[in-house]
Amino acid sequence: MSEKLQKVLARAGQGSRREIELMIQNGRVSVDGVVATLGDRLDDLSVNVRIDGHNITLISSDEEICRILAYNKPEGELCTRHDPEGRRTVFDRLPRLTTGRWVSVGRLDANTSGLLLFTTDGELANRLMHPSRTVEREYMVRVFGEVNEQMIKNVVKGVELEDGIARFEDVVYSGGEGMNHTFYVMITEGRNREVRRLWDSQGVTVSRLKRVRYGDVYLTKDMPRGGWSELELKEVNELRTAVELPPETETVLTVEGQKRKKGIRQIRRAVRRHEERVETTGGRRGRNNDRRAPSSSSRNAEVDSQQQEQRGGRGRTKPAPTGRDNEKPRSDRAKGKPVHIAGKPKDDAKKPYNASDKPQNTSGKRKPSGNAANRRNPLAANKPQKPRTRQ
C-alpha cells in the first residue's frame, strides 16, 4: 500500500508532517536522485530517500512500536522543540530515542500545567488531536471574579469567539473562597487558549489552569511535576481503539521495569527538586542565605572586637593560618629539611632541632595541671598525686 512521502518521513523521525511538507516545497528532499514534489507517494520503502543529501532510513508501519508517554508539564515550559531565546521546553526532560522521535499530542500554553501526551506514532497523535474524534480533555481551572448561574449556562450553551463558536461540554464547581473559584471543565477540541478565552468572555480571569485528563489517561498524584511515565500496552491499546487504530501487540516495557516504576519515580522526584533549587538562583531561599551569611559574620566580628577591647589588649589572639604557612612546613617536614619557626631569625632554622629550643606558649591557653598533666605527660606518672578531700 502506498503512503505519502511526508507521512513516511515523519514516521522515520525527521519532523512533523507540516515541517516535511515545507522541506519538500523547498526542494530539500529527493527520491532516487530526483527532487521530490508535494503529493508524491511511496510504494516501496527500498528506495533511496535523501534530505539535504543525507540518507534516511525508512521504517514500515509494521516495524514501528507505538510508545506513549504521560508528562506532567510544569508552568514556564514551552511546547516547542527549539526556542531561539534558550528557554526550557517540554522535550528537554524526555528520554532519548534511537529511532524515530517524540510527537506531542496537542499543546499547552507556557502558563498552563498538567498532563501532556507524547507518542512515537504520528498517525495516533494526529487522530487524538483532530476535532472530529471528539477526544475529551478535562481541565482544573481557577478563576478570579464573581461567577453566577447565567455565566455557566452561557459557556455550556456556546459563546461566539474570534474563530467560531466554542463551548464546554461540562462544568463542575469544586469550591472556592472570596473571589477565587475552582471549576472542572471538559472540552472536545484543542483550539488555541480556548478555556481561557471562554472564561474571559464572561468577564472573569483565569488565574490557574491545569489539564488533569486526556481521553482515558489521568494525571495521577504519584507523578511529580516535570516527571514522565510510559504507558503500558493495555493503556496504549485503549487510546488506539478510541481513535479506530489497530491494537499493538508489542511493548518496550519489561516486567522488571514495571515493578520498579514506583521506586524510580520517588528517586526522580527528589533529584528534580534538588535540580530546581539549584537552578532557581533568584529564589527566596537563595536570597535569604546570602543575607544571612554577612550578618552573622559581621556580628561575630563585633563580638570579638568588644571582647578584645575589654581585655585591654592583654591577651594575644592567634593569627589565622594562611595557605602559605600551612603548605611550607608540611612539605619541608616531609622532605626532612629544617623548618623555620616563627619568631626566630632564619639562621636558627638551620640548626638541628632541640627540645630546649621549643617556643614558649603564646596562645594564651592555660597549661594542664594535676591529674590532667599526668595523663598527658607519661614522664610525670611517677609523681605523687594530690589527695582529693572534700571541703
Side-chain angles (χ1 to χ4, degrees):
M1 184 179 65
S2 62
E3 294 180 303
K4 290 185 178 180
L5 179 59
Q6 57 266 30
K7 182 179 179 180
V8 176
L9 292 178
R11 185 168 60 234
Q14 301 304 315
S16 64
R17 296 187 185 182
R18 185 174 300 178
E19 293 174 349
I20 296 175
E21 288 176 358
L22 294 177
M23 295 180 186
I24 296 175
Q25 292 178 355
N26 296 331
R28 299 170 54 188
V29 183
S30 64
V31 179
D32 288 336
V34 180
V35 178
T37 58
L38 198 61
D40 289 350
R41 306 178 69 93
L42 295 181
D43 298 328
D44 186 10
L45 298 182
S46 61
V47 296
N48 186 11
V49 179
R50 294 173 178 265
I51 297 180
D52 297 333
H54 301 283
N55 289 326
I56 305 300
T57 302
L58 304 181
I59 303 174
S60 63
S61 58
D62 298 335
E63 298 176 356
E64 182 186 21
I65 298 178
C66 180
R67 300 176 60 182
I68 302 177
L69 292 183
Y71 178 70
N72 188 0
K73 175 189 174 300
E75 295 181 358
E77 290 187 353
L78 304 179
C79 291
T80 181
R81 294 187 181 273
H82 305 287
D83 181 58
E85 300 181 6
R87 291 171 293 182
R88 181 178 294 178
T89 68
V90 294
F91 293 93
D92 296 340
R93 300 177 185 265
L94 302 185
R96 298 293 182 87
L97 293 174
T98 55
T99 58
R101 71 181 202 167
W102 295 113
V103 180
S104 63
V105 181
R107 301 167 65 91
L108 291 177
D109 299 335
N111 297 330
T112 305
S113 62
L115 180 64
L116 187 63
L117 298 181
F118 293 89
T119 179
T120 57
D121 190 349
E123 182 63 25
L124 174 62
N126 189 23
R127 294 195 180 191
L128 287 174
M129 291 184 291
H130 204 276
S132 62
R133 302 292 175 177
T134 63
V135 180
E136 297 178 352
R137 293 100 155 160
E138 187 176 353
Y139 293 83
M140 188 276 291
V141 53
R142 185 177 64 191
V143 298
F144 180 79
E146 293 291 342
V147 181
N148 52 37
E149 290 292 335
Q150 186 60 38
M151 294 180 181
I152 301 299
K153 292 180 181 180
N154 294 338
V155 294
V156 172
K157 184 179 179 180
V159 178
E160 183 70 27
L161 300 179
E162 297 85 354
D163 51 356
I165 298 177
R167 58 185 292 266
F168 291 139
E169 298 295 331
D170 191 13
V171 178
V172 178
Y173 182 68
S174 181
E177 296 180 358
M179 299 291 288
N180 293 310
H181 302 277
T182 303
F183 296 89
Y184 282 88
V185 300
M186 185 182 66
I187 58 177
T188 56
E189 54 184 358
R191 299 189 199 178
N192 185 24
R193 301 174 63 87
E194 182 177 3
V195 177
R196 296 180 183 272
R197 289 189 295 160
L198 276 171
W199 285 109
D200 290 341
S201 66
Q202 303 303 311
V204 293
T205 304
V206 175
S207 58
R208 185 185 180 190
L209 186 60
K210 181 178 182 179
R211 183 192 284 171
V212 296
R213 180 170 67 91
Y214 199 107
D216 294 333
V217 181
Y218 287 82
L219 182 65
T220 57
K221 294 182 179 180
D222 58 348
M223 186 183 301
R225 182 170 57 93
W228 55 267
S229 174
E230 185 164 357
L231 303 187
E232 299 179 3
L233 182 60
K234 180 181 178 181
E235 299 171 326
V236 171
N237 288 333
E238 288 177 356
L239 284 177
R240 294 180 65 87
T241 304
V243 293
E244 300 178 358
L245 283 177
E248 287 285 325
T249 58
E250 297 181 4
T251 180
V252 297
L253 288 178
T254 60
V255 177
E256 296 180 358
Q258 296 176 9
K259 291 181 179 179
R260 295 198 308 265
K261 187 181 296 184
K262 186 176 181 180
I264 293 175
R265 288 177 182 172
Q266 294 175 351
I267 297 173
R268 190 184 299 116
R269 182 184 306 170
V271 174
R272 186 171 296 104
R273 287 178 178 175
H274 173 73
E275 291 177 354
E276 290 174 357
R277 287 195 297 266
V278 173
E279 293 175 359
T280 311
T281 56
R284 293 183 178 178
R285 185 171 301 178
R287 290 198 296 265
N288 290 340
N289 290 340
D290 295 339
R291 293 174 182 174
R292 224 178 266 129
S295 61
S296 60
S297 60
S298 59
R299 190 182 301 111
N300 294 336
E302 292 177 0
V303 172
D304 295 341
S305 61
Q306 291 177 2
Q307 293 178 355
Q308 188 172 2
E309 291 177 359
Q310 292 176 1
R311 289 195 298 265
R314 289 176 294 177
R316 296 183 179 179
T317 57
K318 187 176 181 180
T322 60
R324 185 179 300 176
D325 297 334
N326 292 338
E327 294 176 359
K328 186 173 180 180
R330 194 177 296 128
S331 60
D332 292 342
R333 287 194 183 95
K335 297 179 180 180
K337 296 181 180 180
V339 180
H340 172 62
I341 302 175
K344 290 188 177 183
K346 293 186 178 181
D347 296 339
D348 296 342
K350 300 179 181 179
K351 298 178 182 180
Y353 177 76
N354 191 1
S356 60
D357 297 336
K358 185 176 181 181
Q360 299 298 326
N361 182 20
T362 59
S363 60
K365 296 183 179 180
R366 184 176 61 85
K367 292 184 178 181
S369 61
N371 296 334
N374 297 338
R375 287 195 299 269
R376 297 186 182 183
N377 189 3
L379 300 179
N382 297 329
K383 293 183 180 180
Q385 300 180 1
K386 295 180 181 181
R388 297 181 179 179
T389 57
R390 293 184 178 178
Q391 297 181 356

